[in-house]
Amino acid sequence: METARDVLTALARRYAFGDLEALITQGTLAADGRAAPVAALCAFGQRVLDLDAEDFGMPEAAGEVPRDLLDRARASRMPQAAREHPRGALASLRPAYRLLLEVIAIRWHRRDMAALVAAVHIAGEYLPMLAWETVLGHAGDPARIRAAVGGEGSRFGVPVEPGTARVCDHTRPERSACERTLRVAKEPPSGWRAYLDRQHSQVAAALGDCAARCRTPCTVMTRIEDLVRADLSDRCRLAADFSDGALVKLRHAAPVGHGFGVPSPEEVQAAWTRARRSLSRHPLGKSALADDDSYPLPGLPAVFSAIATTDLRPDTLLRDVTERITSSLA
């Protein structure tokens, strides 16, 4: 016969942090005087699982979270003010992609396909920035990006004069976002947050276009040494192929997109199979996908790793939260 503790432990192992917190804090199932620390871990775990990046590493109302877990989450946090330190995901997107890989795997385990597709879509949006990180030395931090994209001969964020020929392939939203990123570090926190919410992903797309699709490169690209530029372009083309692929397009059939259907696990697998086939036509993608792995979407970590030029394996942050919870309940 299952005990209350067995139920709580099962919920923790299914990463059902919200349900577990509700049972503990509402007193439906007691945790022998250990409700407060477990509730704090649950609130933290749910925030991370929901990819609530603006509040990663912040104190939880439910109670105190161990500092080591908070610090790990802060590596994927988006700073909420222009001068906030540490810079989190603006310093490097690599921790965020490791976390995304862990979240995608957990969503697969829970058969939560709508949330899985949403996480994949987020990953696709910022892949060009992940590729550019090796060249910029950071992940598109507006406080530091001008040195790499501004200056004489650059068309990055420069308005198109009425009546003149268009020589930059950026769309109007991309040009607006690029212009904003060059000045947003001087704006108040409200403006900074609005930029992150609405335009930072457009800057990532614009940088991807610079490297992968531009027909008339300006000094944003021509200032880069030839071999580095060729490698960057190759990785940005792979990022573009992923973002344009069948798996990311599933978002438009899910509630997080424009329809009312939720893809089944079989539809997600089929979409990833089609996407893999497309990515394998790219030499870099073919190399990355040469060997299957045990990941729920085989080869996804390898594709992200190829774009980042470093080994990106799923994080263990949420697994470690679960272990802390089950240890407290034991």
Side-chain angles (χ1 to χ4, degrees), residues 115-133:
L116 181 150
V117 169
V120 167
H121 182 264
I122 291 170
E125 280 195 317
Y126 288 97
L127 272 180
M129 201 77 87
L130 182 68
W132 268 87
E133 187 174 320

Side-chain angles (χ1 to χ4, degrees), residues 88-108:
L90 292 179
S92 175
L93 279 168
R94 293 172 179 181
Y97 272 84
R98 292 187 180 100
L99 181 59
L100 279 165
L101 286 168
E102 185 183 20
V103 167
I104 290 167
I106 289 170
R107 293 301 189 182
W108 177 266

Side-chain angles (χ1 to χ4, degrees), residues 8 11 25 44 46-47 55 71-72 124-125 132 174 177 179 184 186 200 211 214 233 246 283 303 311 313 322:
L8 294 173
L11 287 172
T25 57
F44 171 77
Q46 190 63 50
R47 187 186 300 279
D55 291 325
D71 286 345
R72 288 171 64 184
E125 280 195 317
W132 268 87
E174 287 174 347
E179 187 274 332
V184 73
K186 297 180 181 179
H200 194 56
C214 186
S233 296
V303 171
D311 187 15
R313 300 185 185 186
T322 293

Side-chain angles (χ1 to χ4, degrees), residues 137-191:
H138 54 85
D141 189 340
R144 302 170 60 192
I145 198 171
R146 181 181 290 276
V149 299
E152 185 177 355
S154 171
R155 294 191 289 271
F156 188 90
V158 176
V160 176
E161 294 293 333
T164 61
R166 179 182 170 185
V167 291
C168 178
D169 287 334
H170 288 167
T171 64
R172 183 175 295 178
E174 287 174 347
R175 286 199 304 273
S176 176
C178 291
E179 187 274 332
R180 182 84 180 278
T181 201
L182 295 175
R183 59 179 171 82
V184 73
K186 297 180 181 179
E187 294 187 19
S190 59

Side-chain angles (χ1 to χ4, degrees), residues 246 265-275 277:
E266 293 74 22
E267 288 172 322
V268 170
Q269 285 181 322
W272 178 232
T273 298
R274 294 196 302 275
R277 204 156 41 232

Side-chain angles (χ1 to χ4, degrees), residues 54-83:
E54 67 179 27
D55 291 325
F56 281 178
M58 300 299 288
E60 296 293 343
E64 187 173 348
V65 179
R67 180 62 182 266
D68 63 308
L69 296 177
L70 288 175
D71 286 345
R72 288 171 64 184
R74 286 192 182 105
S76 299
R77 170 179 163 83
M78 276 292 186
Q80 296 302 290
R83 298 181 182 179

Side-chain angles (χ1 to χ4, degrees), residues 234 238 279-289:
D234 205 29
L238 183 60
L279 293 171
S280 293
R281 298 191 188 106
H282 190 291
L284 186 60
K286 183 177 182 180
S287 175
L289 293 166

